[in-house]
mmCIF file of all heavy atoms in Angstrom:
data_model
loop_
_atom_site.group_PDB
_atom_site.id
_atom_site.type_symbol
_atom_site.label_atom_id
_atom_site.label_comp_id
_atom_site.label_asym_id
_atom_site.label_seq_id
_atom_site.Cartn_x
_atom_site.Cartn_y
_atom_site.Cartn_z
ATOM 1 N N ASN Q 1398 -9.292 32.631 60.868
ATOM 2 C CA ASN Q 1398 -10.745 32.845 61.068
ATOM 3 C C ASN Q 1398 -11.391 31.590 61.570
ATOM 4 O O ASN Q 1398 -10.852 30.518 61.612
ATOM 5 C CB ASN Q 1398 -11.360 33.350 59.714
ATOM 6 C CG ASN Q 1398 -11.348 32.278 58.675
ATOM 7 O OD1 ASN Q 1398 -12.265 31.470 58.563
ATOM 8 N ND2 ASN Q 1398 -10.261 32.236 57.879
ATOM 9 N N ILE Q 1419 -17.726 36.319 78.366
ATOM 10 C CA ILE Q 1419 -18.077 36.690 76.987
ATOM 11 C C ILE Q 1419 -18.111 38.212 76.904
ATOM 12 O O ILE Q 1419 -18.996 38.813 77.503
ATOM 13 C CB ILE Q 1419 -19.410 36.052 76.615
ATOM 14 C CG1 ILE Q 1419 -19.329 34.559 76.803
ATOM 15 C CG2 ILE Q 1419 -19.752 36.415 75.135
ATOM 16 C CD1 ILE Q 1419 -20.636 33.833 76.786
ATOM 17 N N GLY Q 1426 -16.654 39.402 58.343
ATOM 18 C CA GLY Q 1426 -16.506 40.726 57.649
ATOM 19 C C GLY Q 1426 -16.068 41.831 58.656
ATOM 20 O O GLY Q 1426 -15.793 42.945 58.165
ATOM 21 N N LYS Q 1435 -6.844 38.987 79.384
ATOM 22 C CA LYS Q 1435 -6.929 37.750 80.151
ATOM 23 C C LYS Q 1435 -8.396 37.456 80.546
ATOM 24 O O LYS Q 1435 -9.088 38.374 81.131
ATOM 25 C CB LYS Q 1435 -6.044 37.859 81.367
ATOM 26 C CG LYS Q 1435 -5.715 36.521 81.974
ATOM 27 C CD LYS Q 1435 -4.546 36.689 82.973
ATOM 28 C CE LYS Q 1435 -4.056 35.318 83.431
ATOM 29 N NZ LYS Q 1435 -2.929 35.436 84.324
ATOM 30 N N LYS Q 1459 -21.557 23.282 72.126
ATOM 31 C CA LYS Q 1459 -20.763 22.593 73.141
ATOM 32 C C LYS Q 1459 -20.419 23.509 74.274
ATOM 33 O O LYS Q 1459 -19.285 23.396 74.856
ATOM 34 C CB LYS Q 1459 -19.535 21.957 72.490
ATOM 35 C CG LYS Q 1459 -19.965 20.856 71.536
ATOM 36 C CD LYS Q 1459 -18.942 19.984 71.109
ATOM 37 C CE LYS Q 1459 -19.522 18.800 70.297
ATOM 38 N NZ LYS Q 1459 -18.609 18.081 69.470
ATOM 39 N N ASN Q 1479 -11.024 24.382 65.459
ATOM 40 C CA ASN Q 1479 -11.984 25.285 64.740
ATOM 41 C C ASN Q 1479 -11.429 26.586 64.297
ATOM 42 O O ASN Q 1479 -12.189 27.569 64.092
ATOM 43 C CB ASN Q 1479 -13.303 25.465 65.535
ATOM 44 C CG ASN Q 1479 -14.004 24.171 65.852
ATOM 45 O OD1 ASN Q 1479 -13.983 23.274 65.009
ATOM 46 N ND2 ASN Q 1479 -14.520 24.022 67.032
ATOM 47 N N PHE Q 1513 -8.811 37.066 41.128
ATOM 48 C CA PHE Q 1513 -8.499 37.222 39.667
ATOM 49 C C PHE Q 1513 -9.719 37.678 38.914
ATOM 50 O O PHE Q 1513 -10.798 37.109 39.135
ATOM 51 C CB PHE Q 1513 -8.005 35.862 39.082
ATOM 52 C CG PHE Q 1513 -6.617 35.486 39.512
ATOM 53 C CD1 PHE Q 1513 -6.435 34.512 40.494
ATOM 54 C CD2 PHE Q 1513 -5.512 36.080 38.915
ATOM 55 C CE1 PHE Q 1513 -5.169 34.167 40.850
ATOM 56 C CE2 PHE Q 1513 -4.239 35.742 39.282
ATOM 57 C CZ PHE Q 1513 -4.050 34.744 40.218
ATOM 58 N N PRO Q 1539 -38.583 18.118 2.177
ATOM 59 C CA PRO Q 1539 -38.885 16.721 1.828
ATOM 60 C C PRO Q 1539 -37.775 16.097 0.977
ATOM 61 O O PRO Q 1539 -37.095 16.808 0.240
ATOM 62 C CB PRO Q 1539 -40.196 16.782 0.994
ATOM 63 C CG PRO Q 1539 -40.233 18.196 0.510
ATOM 64 C CD PRO Q 1539 -39.440 19.048 1.484
ATOM 65 N N GLN Q 1541 -36.390 13.873 -2.117
ATOM 66 C CA GLN Q 1541 -36.740 13.364 -3.379
ATOM 67 C C GLN Q 1541 -35.960 12.080 -3.551
ATOM 68 O O GLN Q 1541 -34.983 11.763 -2.806
ATOM 69 C CB GLN Q 1541 -36.311 14.301 -4.539
ATOM 70 C CG GLN Q 1541 -36.827 15.728 -4.421
ATOM 71 C CD GLN Q 1541 -38.335 15.797 -4.441
ATOM 72 O OE1 GLN Q 1541 -39.017 15.023 -5.070
ATOM 73 N NE2 GLN Q 1541 -38.910 16.792 -3.693
ATOM 74 N N ASP Q 1559 -18.281 19.995 21.707
ATOM 75 C CA ASP Q 1559 -17.691 19.182 22.713
ATOM 76 C C ASP Q 1559 -16.343 19.803 23.203
ATOM 77 O O ASP Q 1559 -15.937 19.626 24.343
ATOM 78 C CB ASP Q 1559 -17.342 17.782 22.258
ATOM 79 C CG ASP Q 1559 -18.539 16.832 22.280
ATOM 80 O OD1 ASP Q 1559 -19.549 17.251 22.839
ATOM 81 O OD2 ASP Q 1559 -18.424 15.755 21.720
ATOM 82 N N MET Q 1593 -13.699 19.699 5.847
ATOM 83 C CA MET Q 1593 -14.577 19.379 4.720
ATOM 84 C C MET Q 1593 -15.050 17.935 4.834
ATOM 85 O O MET Q 1593 -14.344 17.130 5.435
ATOM 86 C CB MET Q 1593 -13.825 19.634 3.391
ATOM 87 C CG MET Q 1593 -13.296 21.032 3.251
ATOM 88 S SD MET Q 1593 -12.531 21.274 1.702
ATOM 89 C CE MET Q 1593 -13.897 21.173 0.512
ATOM 90 N N LEU Q 1642 -12.384 15.210 5.098
ATOM 91 C CA LEU Q 1642 -12.776 13.952 5.618
ATOM 92 C C LEU Q 1642 -13.691 13.237 4.583
ATOM 93 O O LEU Q 1642 -14.431 13.889 3.860
ATOM 94 C CB LEU Q 1642 -13.537 14.044 6.926
ATOM 95 C CG LEU Q 1642 -12.914 14.895 8.026
ATOM 96 C CD1 LEU Q 1642 -13.757 14.974 9.235
ATOM 97 C CD2 LEU Q 1642 -11.536 14.384 8.373
ATOM 98 N N LYS Q 1674 -6.812 7.937 25.325
ATOM 99 C CA LYS Q 1674 -6.322 6.546 25.062
ATOM 100 C C LYS Q 1674 -6.384 5.738 26.352
ATOM 101 O O LYS Q 1674 -5.936 6.167 27.391
ATOM 102 C CB LYS Q 1674 -4.914 6.640 24.536
ATOM 103 C CG LYS Q 1674 -4.362 5.275 24.049
ATOM 104 C CD LYS Q 1674 -2.985 5.485 23.423
ATOM 105 C CE LYS Q 1674 -2.440 4.214 22.879
ATOM 106 N NZ LYS Q 1674 -1.140 4.330 22.330
ATOM 107 N N THR Q 1688 -5.306 -6.134 6.641
ATOM 108 C CA THR Q 1688 -4.156 -5.547 7.359
ATOM 109 C C THR Q 1688 -4.370 -4.078 7.794
ATOM 110 O O THR Q 1688 -3.567 -3.512 8.507
ATOM 111 C CB THR Q 1688 -2.927 -5.534 6.379
ATOM 112 O OG1 THR Q 1688 -3.320 -4.891 5.193
ATOM 113 C CG2 THR Q 1688 -2.457 -6.908 6.063
ATOM 114 N N PRO Q 1706 -22.292 -4.575 16.916
ATOM 115 C CA PRO Q 1706 -22.442 -5.364 15.697
ATOM 116 C C PRO Q 1706 -22.363 -4.520 14.406
ATOM 117 O O PRO Q 1706 -21.832 -5.054 13.416
ATOM 118 C CB PRO Q 1706 -23.867 -5.972 15.834
ATOM 119 C CG PRO Q 1706 -24.540 -5.207 16.938
ATOM 120 C CD PRO Q 1706 -23.482 -4.604 17.799
ATOM 121 N N VAL Q 1723 -12.454 0.975 19.550
ATOM 122 C CA VAL Q 1723 -11.350 0.050 19.775
ATOM 123 C C VAL Q 1723 -10.419 0.084 18.534
ATOM 124 O O VAL Q 1723 -10.920 0.061 17.411
ATOM 125 C CB VAL Q 1723 -11.911 -1.383 19.988
ATOM 126 C CG1 VAL Q 1723 -10.817 -2.426 19.901
ATOM 127 C CG2 VAL Q 1723 -12.608 -1.436 21.320
#
Side-chain angles (χ1 to χ4, degrees):
N1398 68 89
I1419 304 164
K1435 197 166 187 177
K1459 296 195 172 160
N1479 298 324
F1513 285 103
Q1541 308 297 328
D1559 279 350
M1593 303 182 68
L1642 311 179
K1674 189 176 182 181
T1688 55
V1723 167

